């Protein structure tokens, strides 16, 4: 049969990178094992999604799109003690934001509680499950180790009738939490610890965010997951490598029960990203201990945080595409993600001017009361580029770090007697400066060449430096939040005994700048609008940005060749 392929609707120029999962699917379609591909993304609603989840989302939804299949969004909501509806809502928002659509295929493991319970009764009746009275600790002790087999529970050989009665009692809430569990009867001497009579139901006296107080028992992950996949007729169940040793158990349930399909579990390496932690437990800890004020803080590796930071969803999809899918664990450099963000924003953002550390500059030969408008292109990368008008006058502000009184060789920015280009405006030459008692420059004086309007001159003389500026009369103050990594070290896999990632918090992960000045058009930005501040980086209007109290977050620094060259 022919294999239909198409690119995802969002990224028409995306070239799917071949990987072993794709190869398996192509083969399954070619042999006719499957004619329709069904994948799923199964988050537990116990926290916000992070960039690691984005890898899984892009993989699962991406494969479904590429092979004309479907991808289900299924909440794995089997532990009511940690799960909340607000996390369900946040996850839905994040998957949508990332650009994916599950159509009507939104499911909850809790939808299957009744069916899962029926299946458990079947296992008991078949002598394949039993109620065990060992405590959680005792079960752990009996389980053995990687090198030693386990010991059978004294409750393992209860009769079917007794098991049914006790399991009914568990369901009815007759027993306290932890006093009993239902376990699959498999093999206590199996070399695979997961096969040593795993717990499949436990008692929990919690209110569930969907089923309320209906249930006093809740199914465990492995049991729920494999059956949910089978009930939804998932063809390829993709999960991270730590579940490789769970695959025999996943299959065991499928083999014992009359489920409607037999999905194939395939494992891939999880994403680890430098300078950050990824587990929801650790992210929750950062929020709860006040290291960051919220899950969507722009320094968090959560999708909500990255959204506020101004990372475009297309950049995250491209990142997922570039890192690929393999079976080898690795640490991906945060720079790659930033590279993808820069690439995307370079295509899509308007260039504007803001000065982060302003120093006044007077053009002494420019008429005092005169103002003129110069044309500024909005985005040179855009084939349909538009322009806007910028007010120019005698009094400007420029960037303090663009001035040097002792310029090194190769300095092309402001220095006494040197000519530089004011972007979009004129050539100017620095003639003198005011300094305070400590030698700090307090004001610059320059002359301009009226013949160089637009930033170029007919005589073709070379002016290598180009700097940004704002008009003193027109510029507006803005608040700028400069974000950096939350941690000072890239790799937490080698933490020493007793160390915690919290020992490596970056004290400068957020620096707030309140002296910045920007061209007035920036006040009209809407939250989420991104810009390139020329020569400084990409910035996004914060969620709390208003015209009256403008706030911009730095998305990523600029390191394109123009900035590098002109900043030498
Ligand atoms: P965490 O360890 O961060 O709490 P989790 O695996 O417990 O993550 P789930 O909500 O259970 O979180 O994950 C949903 C899906 O996302 C699973 O299929 C899981 O394998 C996948 N996933 C989670 N973290 C990563 C990661 N870092 N890289 C790739 N996939 C991931
Ligand atoms: Mg999990």
């Amino acid at each position: 049969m022919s294999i239909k392929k198409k690119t995802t609707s969002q990224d028409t120029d995306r070239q799917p990178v071949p990987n072993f999962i794709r190869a398996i699917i192509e083969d399954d379609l070619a042999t006719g094992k499957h004619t329709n591909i069904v994948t799923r993304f199964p988050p537990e609603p116990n926290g916000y999604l992070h960039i690691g989840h984005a890898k899984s989302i892009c993989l699962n939804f991406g494969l479904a799109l590429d092979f004309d299949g479907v991808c289900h969004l299924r909440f794995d909501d089997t532990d009511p003690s940690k799960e909340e509806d607000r996390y369900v809502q946040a996850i839905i928002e994040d998957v949508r934001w990332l650009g994916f659509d599950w159509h009507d295929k939104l499911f909850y493991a809790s939808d299957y509680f009744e069916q899962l319970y029926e299946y458990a009764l079947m296992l008991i009746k078949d002598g394949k499950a039993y109620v065990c009275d060992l405590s959680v600790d005792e079960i752990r002790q009996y389980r053995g180790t990687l090198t030693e087999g386990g010991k059978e529970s004294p409750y393992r050989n209860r009769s079917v009738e007794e098991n049914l009665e006790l399991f009914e009692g568990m369901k009815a809430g007759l027993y306290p939490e932890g006093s009993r569990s239902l376990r699959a009867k498999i093999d206590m001497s199996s070399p695979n610890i997961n096969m040593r009579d795993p717990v499949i139901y436990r008692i929990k006296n919690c209110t569930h965010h969907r089923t309320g107080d209906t249930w006093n028992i809740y199914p465990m992950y492995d049991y729920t997951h494999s059956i949910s996949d089978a009930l939804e007729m998932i063809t390829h169940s993709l999960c991270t490598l730590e579940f490789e040793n769970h695959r025999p158990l996943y299959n065991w349930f499928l083999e014992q029960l009359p489920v409607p399909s037999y999905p194939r579990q395939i494992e891939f390496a999880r994403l680890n990203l430098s300078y950050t932690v990824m587990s929801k437990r650790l992210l929750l800890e950062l929020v709860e201990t006040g290291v960051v004020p919220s899950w969507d803080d722009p320094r968090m590796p959560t999708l909500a945080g990255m959204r506020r930071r101004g990372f475009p969803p297309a950049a995250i999809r491209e990142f997922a595409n570039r890192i690929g899918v393999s079976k080898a664990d690795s640490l991906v450099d945060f720079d790659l993600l930033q590279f993808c963000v820069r690439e995307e924003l370079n295509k899509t953002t308007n260039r504007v001017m803001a000065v982060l550390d302003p120093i006044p500059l007077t053009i002494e030969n420019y008429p005092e009361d005169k103002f003129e408008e110069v044309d500024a292109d909005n985005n040179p990368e855009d084939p349909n580029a538009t322009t806007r008008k910028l007010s120019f006058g005698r009094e400007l502000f420029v960037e303090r770090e663009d001035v040097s009184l002792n310029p090194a060789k190769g300095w092309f920015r402001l220095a006494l007697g040197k000519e530089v280009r004011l972007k979009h405006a004129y050539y100017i030459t620095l003639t003198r400066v005011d300094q305070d008692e400590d030698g700090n420059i307090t004001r610059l004086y320059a002359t301009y060449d009226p013949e160089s309007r637009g930033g170029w001159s007919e005589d073709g003389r070379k002016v290598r430096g180009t700097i940004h500026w704002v008009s003193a009369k027109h510029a507006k103050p803005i608040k700028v939040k400069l974000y950096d990594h939350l941690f000072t070290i890239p790799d937490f896999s080698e933490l020493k005994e007793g160390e915690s990632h919290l020992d490596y918090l970056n004290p400068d992960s957020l620096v707030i700048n309140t002296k910045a000045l920007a061209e007035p058009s920036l006040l009209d930005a809407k939250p989420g609008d991104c810009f390139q501040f020329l020569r400084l980086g990409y910035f996004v209007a914060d969620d709390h940005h208003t015209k009256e109290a403008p706030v911009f977050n730095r998305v990523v620094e600029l390191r394109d060749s123009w900035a590098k060259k002109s900043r030498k």
Side-chain angles (χ1 to χ4, degrees):
M1 66 170 288
S2 73
I3 297 164
K4 263 196 260 169
K5 269 194 206 170
K6 64 172 190 199
T7 48
T8 62
S9 54
Q10 319 90 333
D11 309 292
T12 42
D13 54 352
R14 182 176 72 95
Q15 289 303 316
V17 178
N19 62 54
F20 72 101
I21 299 179
R22 190 169 271 282
I24 291 172
I25 294 180
E26 282 170 356
D27 196 50
D28 286 347
L29 288 168
T31 61
K33 179 178 177 190
H34 296 294
T35 49
N36 188 27
I37 298 305
V38 189
T39 57
R40 86 287 170 268
F41 173 63
E44 181 179 3
N46 61 349
Y48 279 57
L49 297 180
H50 50 61
I51 182 78
H53 293 114
K55 173 176 180 176
S56 177
I57 295 169
C58 292
L59 175 64
N60 280 293
F61 281 93
L63 287 169
L65 277 164
D66 288 348
F67 292 101
D68 265 345
V70 280
C71 179
H72 298 184
L73 174 60
R74 182 200 316 139
F75 287 97
D76 167 37
D77 54 349
T78 50
D79 185 355
S81 63
K82 299 201 189 94
E83 297 157 4
E84 291 178 38
D85 182 62
R86 70 184 177 107
Y87 294 135
V88 170
Q89 302 313 324
I91 289 170
I92 286 179
E93 185 182 352
D94 287 347
V95 179
R96 278 222 181 96
W97 173 74
L98 207 49
F100 295 104
D101 190 355
W102 48 90
H103 304 285
D104 59 343
K105 305 294 182 192
L106 173 64
F107 300 106
Y108 296 82
S110 54
D111 291 340
Y112 311 131
F113 279 173
E114 198 62 50
Q115 176 70 74
L116 289 160
Y117 176 73
E118 294 299 323
Y119 281 151
L121 293 179
M122 276 183 208
L123 288 177
I124 294 174
K125 286 177 191 158
D126 288 347
K128 290 172 186 161
Y130 61 95
V131 173
C132 181
D133 298 357
L134 294 180
S135 67
V136 173
D137 280 344
E138 286 166 334
I139 290 180
R140 196 174 302 126
Q141 283 159 23
Y142 274 64
R143 196 166 51 199
T145 62
L146 285 175
T147 49
E148 255 172 67
K151 209 163 66 175
E152 292 192 354
S153 159
Y155 306 98
R156 195 173 201 260
N157 295 313
R158 277 178 164 150
S159 69
V160 169
E161 291 67 36
E162 190 182 1
N163 280 322
L164 285 174
E165 191 185 321
L166 290 172
F167 190 47
E168 291 286 344
M170 283 169 61
K171 182 183 182 230
L174 301 187
Y175 314 119
E177 237 178 82
S179 65
R180 294 203 151 107
S181 59
L182 184 72
R183 298 176 66 181
K185 194 171 180 176
I186 309 181
D187 180 5
M188 288 307 290
S189 62
S190 169
N192 183 339
I193 287 190
N194 296 307
M195 299 299 274
R196 295 181 192 164
D197 291 10
V199 171
I200 56 179
Y201 264 95
R202 57 188 163 173
I203 299 170
K204 269 201 181 260
N205 300 318
C206 283
T207 303
H208 187 280
H209 63 97
R210 293 188 78 237
T211 58
D213 295 321
T214 310
W215 295 89
N216 298 300
I217 51 172
Y218 290 93
M220 299 297 287
Y221 174 82
D222 285 316
Y223 177 71
T224 313
H225 198 73
S226 100
I227 295 173
S228 306
D229 281 349
L231 292 174
E232 290 175 20
M233 315 283 268
I234 301 299
T235 54
H236 300 84
S237 174
L238 315 179
C239 61
T240 34
L241 280 181
E242 66 271 24
F243 291 103
E244 195 165 21
N245 291 332
H246 295 239
R247 186 171 2 114
L249 181 57
Y250 180 96
N251 291 340
W252 188 86
F253 293 121
L254 301 181
E255 280 151 17
Q256 310 310 313
L257 294 163
V259 287
S261 75
Y262 200 127
R264 172 169 177 190
Q265 174 177 310
I266 305 169
E267 307 86 17
F268 64 95
R270 65 193 294 120
L271 167 66
N272 301 300
L273 193 61
S274 63
Y275 293 102
T276 193
V277 292
M278 205 89 90
S279 122
K280 279 182 280 187
R281 185 176 56 79
L282 299 179
L283 297 179
L284 178 65
E285 184 184 39
L286 293 175
V287 177
E288 285 186 337
T289 57
V291 170
V292 292
S294 56
W295 281 96
D296 69 348
D297 184 274
R299 291 163 290 181
M300 290 282 268
T302 53
L303 295 184
M306 291 185 174
R307 176 163 63 236
R308 251 185 99 185
R309 176 81 175 257
F311 286 14
I316 295 177
R317 293 195 299 267
E318 173 58 17
F319 171 72
N321 198 36
R322 278 175 184 253
I323 56 175
V325 177
S326 79
K327 283 237 180 223
D329 265 321
S330 66
L331 182 69
V332 176
D333 200 325
F334 200 89
D335 280 349
L336 177 62
L337 178 57
Q338 292 192 322
F339 170 82
C340 295
V341 169
R342 233 177 256 126
E343 288 256 301
E344 181 64 23
L345 293 178
N346 181 44
K347 286 185 273 180
T348 55
T349 56
N350 281 349
R351 274 60 170 163
V352 295
M353 291 202 281
V355 177
L356 295 186
D357 187 4
I359 180 165
L361 179 147
T362 305
I363 302 176
E364 293 187 281
N365 59 340
Y366 195 92
E368 276 194 29
D369 299 323
K370 178 177 167 185
F371 290 99
E372 65 184 298
E373 289 192 322
V374 295
D375 287 318
D377 50 351
N378 286 323
N379 183 355
E381 298 289 319
D382 180 353
N384 310 312
T386 50
T387 59
R388 69 187 181 290
K389 300 281 182 199
L390 280 179
S391 297
F392 182 84
R394 176 184 164 97
E395 303 293 338
L396 309 175
F397 284 101
V398 296
E399 203 76 66
R400 184 172 291 275
E401 66 166 38
D402 281 339
V403 190
S404 174
L405 294 184
N406 305 299
K409 195 166 171 289
W411 174 268
F412 297 119
R413 296 179 266 163
L414 287 165
L416 288 169
K418 280 217 164 189
E419 194 168 45
V420 302
R421 174 186 298 108
L422 290 176
K423 182 79 179 167
H424 305 309
Y426 289 100
Y427 291 170
I428 59 164
T429 304
L430 187 67
T431 50
R432 63 191 177 99
V433 303
D434 287 345
Q435 285 170 287
D436 66 14
E437 295 133 28
D438 302 323
N440 301 313
I441 304 175
T442 53
R443 180 173 287 275
L444 308 172
Y445 299 90
T447 54
Y448 86 119
D449 173 6
E451 301 301 318
S452 62
R453 195 182 143 93
W456 66 285
S457 157
E458 263 178 23
D459 65 10
R461 72 181 185 271
K462 231 179 177 166
V463 172
R464 294 184 63 173
T466 302
I467 62 169
H468 58 277
W469 54 273
V470 291
S471 156
K473 182 171 168 7
H474 303 90
K476 304 291 181 195
I478 58 171
K479 188 183 202 176
V480 176
K481 294 183 171 178
L482 302 164
Y483 290 104
D484 199 355
H485 295 308
L486 203 44
F487 299 101
T488 53
I489 57 168
D491 187 357
F492 288 101
S493 65
E494 284 166 15
L495 281 187
K496 292 188 215 71
E497 180 91 15
E499 278 189 334
S500 145
H501 56 286
L502 295 177
D503 300 334
Y504 292 96
L505 285 172
N506 176 8
D508 299 320
S509 62
L510 169 58
V511 173
I512 298 183
N513 173 327
T514 51
K515 56 188 178 189
L517 295 169
E519 61 176 87
S521 65
L522 276 179
L523 297 199
D524 297 325
K526 288 186 288 303
D529 285 353
C530 284
F531 301 89
Q532 186 191 103
F533 289 7
L534 277 176
R535 301 179 65 234
L536 297 174
Y538 293 100
F539 292 76
V540 61
D542 188 74
D543 278 4
H544 301 296
H545 167 93
T546 61
K547 197 167 185 147
E548 293 69 38
V551 188
F552 288 85
N553 299 329
R554 183 170 67 198
V555 184
V556 63
E557 279 176 280
L558 194 70
R559 260 180 261 152
D560 67 37
S561 51
W562 178 67
K564 225 188 253 168
K565 279 189 217 131
S566 65
R567 275 164 158 259
K568 259 188 211 157

